Amino acid sequence: MNAPALIDTFDRRLSYLRISITDRCNLRCLYCVPDGRLPKLDHEDILTYEELLRLVRICTQMGVTKVRITGGEPLVRKGVYTFLSQLSAIPDLQDLSVTTNGVLLGPNLERLREAGVRRINVSLDTLRRERYREISGYDHFDRVWAGIEKALLLGFHPIKINVVALRGINEDELLEMGRLTFDYPFHVRFIEYMPIGNARMDPAANLLTPEIQERLSVLGDLKAVGRQVNDGPAQRYRIEGAIGELGFISSVSRHFCNRCNRLRLTASGQLRGCLLSDQQTDLRTPLRSGASDAMLANLIREAVRTKKAHHRLAVPTAPKVSDPMSGIGG
Ligand code: SAM
């Protein structure tokens, strides 16, 4: 099958697929699972690795070159390392990365590397052990940090540290987080909190990029770093003297929809054009009822055709996103 590239009606070329391989997670972060209870899909509702590989192969034939594996927590799914090696072997896939909370990272870094993964994003909202427990529900800070340091030694690059910036929760650590870039080649990325799923955070907890940047400016001038082909939505900066970078993912204050190149596949096999809209196309049913590759490619193309110009998070009358982040993958 040789299919034309995935280009939507706003002339955006979709080359980046984010896949949530499980909705299970070994943490209960308060902004992601506010009532501490993750909705759980039945095992048979989650796409198998064979189904995922088939969809990725079809997508790469339509111009997808970059895949990120996320969750839930991707490293809790059995067989994930073999799956990652199989993904790495897909000829047109140029960029494979994983987003993890890092809890299982340390003991599995060699397996990740053998599976062909060189780039990881680790979510870490605080550098304080007790606060980590308060935010995530578990006392795992030390092992996450040990995993990050080991990843550095093993040559993973870049290591991106994702920080959801929350007023009254970790705002007093923004400078410490920013200072990490003077000591480590990390890309520290500040993410604006997005009110989706069953989120019940106080909207006043939202810290937006302009304020975060203003606070970080005491560390030095933020110099913009030129964008590269496979760059995601983060605006990238470096402070003079730093060996790492700062990034800002401003989904709320300055959405980047006009250059969005992403599709998302949920753990249950729903293809979404936008993280912040519940509009989705079911790929699991056709996958399991004998659809050919060409039929699946048509469904993917149709999902791309209906991708909206931009999200409507800031529109008060727009429907809220009801699906949980754990199933969509963030
Ligand atoms: N378990 C993995 C992890 O922790 O990185 C992958 C899944 S997690 C849903 C992916 C990212 O989404 C994490 O960086 C997390 O902090 C972020 N996230 C979750 N809920 C969010 C929210 N409501 N607003 C902004 N970011 C959120």
Side-chain angles (χ1 to χ4, degrees):
M1 191 189 69
N2 235 344
L6 293 171
I7 297 176
D8 74 4
T9 44
F10 304 95
D11 219 23
R12 293 171 298 195
R13 191 187 180 104
L14 306 183
S15 57
Y16 179 12
L17 177 65
R18 296 172 67 98
I19 307 177
S20 170
I21 60 167
T22 178
D23 62 339
R24 311 284 202 271
C25 190
N26 46 1
L27 295 181
R28 296 287 178 271
C29 298
L30 49 87
Y31 49 80
C32 194
V33 196
D35 57 6
R37 275 180 294 127
L38 266 181
K40 271 196 192 161
L41 290 166
D42 287 336
H43 183 68
E44 58 274 17
D45 290 338
I46 293 177
L47 290 194
T48 65
Y49 287 135
E50 290 69 28
E51 289 167 335
L52 288 169
L53 287 163
R54 182 171 172 210
L55 289 178
V56 173
R57 282 194 196 97
I58 293 172
C59 287
T60 55
Q61 285 163 15
M62 294 191 287
V64 167
T65 55
K66 176 173 174 177
V67 166
R68 173 171 296 281
I69 300 303
T70 173
E73 170 50 36
L75 302 190
V76 301
R77 182 159 172 189
K78 223 169 131 197
V80 62
Y81 303 101
T82 308
F83 169 62
L84 290 167
S85 327
Q86 291 165 329
L87 275 179
S88 292
I90 295 179
D92 295 321
L93 191 59
Q94 294 163 11
D95 188 329
L96 174 63
S97 53
V98 172
T99 295
T100 172
N101 59 33
V103 172
L104 297 174
L105 196 56
N108 292 301
L109 279 160
E110 284 89 352
R111 296 168 83 189
L112 269 180
R113 197 172 56 175
E114 279 158 26
V117 177
R118 298 285 176 275
R119 293 153 33 77
I120 49 172
N121 288 14
V122 185
S123 304
L124 185 66
D125 304 316
T126 173
L127 298 171
R128 300 181 192 171
R129 184 175 161 193
E130 181 50 27
R131 182 172 287 171
Y132 183 93
R133 196 188 56 71
E134 285 164 14
I135 294 176
S136 73
Y138 290 87
D139 187 13
H140 288 331
F141 173 78
D142 291 344
R143 53 200 277 193
V144 174
W145 186 253
I148 293 172
E149 291 204 306
K150 184 172 167 191
L152 194 59
L153 287 177
L154 289 180
F156 282 81
H157 187 76
I159 298 171
K160 296 183 182 171
I161 310 280
N162 285 347
V163 184
V164 181
L166 297 163
R167 197 182 300 284
I169 294 177
N170 60 359
E171 63 177 321
D172 54 343
E173 284 188 79
L174 298 182
L175 290 184
E176 262 169 87
M177 287 286 188
R179 270 194 211 103
L180 284 178
T181 65
F182 288 90
D183 299 327
Y184 299 92
F186 298 154
H187 293 190
V188 176
R189 293 137 41 100
F190 297 94
I191 303 177
E192 291 176 347
Y193 164 71
M194 291 170 270
I196 80 164
N198 58 351
R200 278 194 272 118
M201 294 281 299
D202 181 351
N206 216 344
L207 252 177
L208 301 180
T209 295
E211 183 173 349
I212 303 170
Q213 287 182 338
E214 169 70 29
R215 293 189 190 198
L216 288 170
S217 64
V218 302
L219 298 176
D221 283 348
L222 272 60
K223 300 242 163 60
V225 173
R227 294 188 58 75
Q228 286 165 8
V229 189
N230 263 341
D231 269 1
Q235 310 151 247
R236 299 168 55 192
Y237 297 88
R238 191 187 290 275
I239 298 179
E240 176 115 8
I243 52 176
E245 286 185 16
L246 296 173
F248 301 90
I249 303 185
S250 321
S251 326
V252 179
S253 67
R254 200 186 304 160
H255 71 71
F256 34 81
C257 306
N258 61 339
R259 53 188 166 81
C260 179
N261 63 349
R262 301 167 165 209
L263 284 172
R264 290 181 157 83
L265 185 61
T266 71
S268 63
Q270 310 302 308
L271 190 67
R272 294 172 76 112
C274 177
L275 169 65
L276 299 170
S277 154
D278 280 338
Q279 180 177 312
Q280 56 190 23
T281 301
D282 178 23
L283 295 182
R284 187 184 63 201
T285 308
L287 259 174
R288 294 183 179 176
S289 42
S292 65
D293 283 6
M295 287 156 94
L296 290 167
N298 275 340
L299 285 170
I300 296 168
R301 202 174 300 291
E302 184 56 20
V304 165
R305 201 186 57 74
T306 56
K307 186 173 159 82
K308 298 277 186 285
H310 51 78
H311 73 65
R312 300 176 72 211
L313 208 57
V315 180
T317 53
K320 298 286 168 245
V321 183
S322 59
D323 289 334
M325 195 68 110
S326 56
I328 314 171

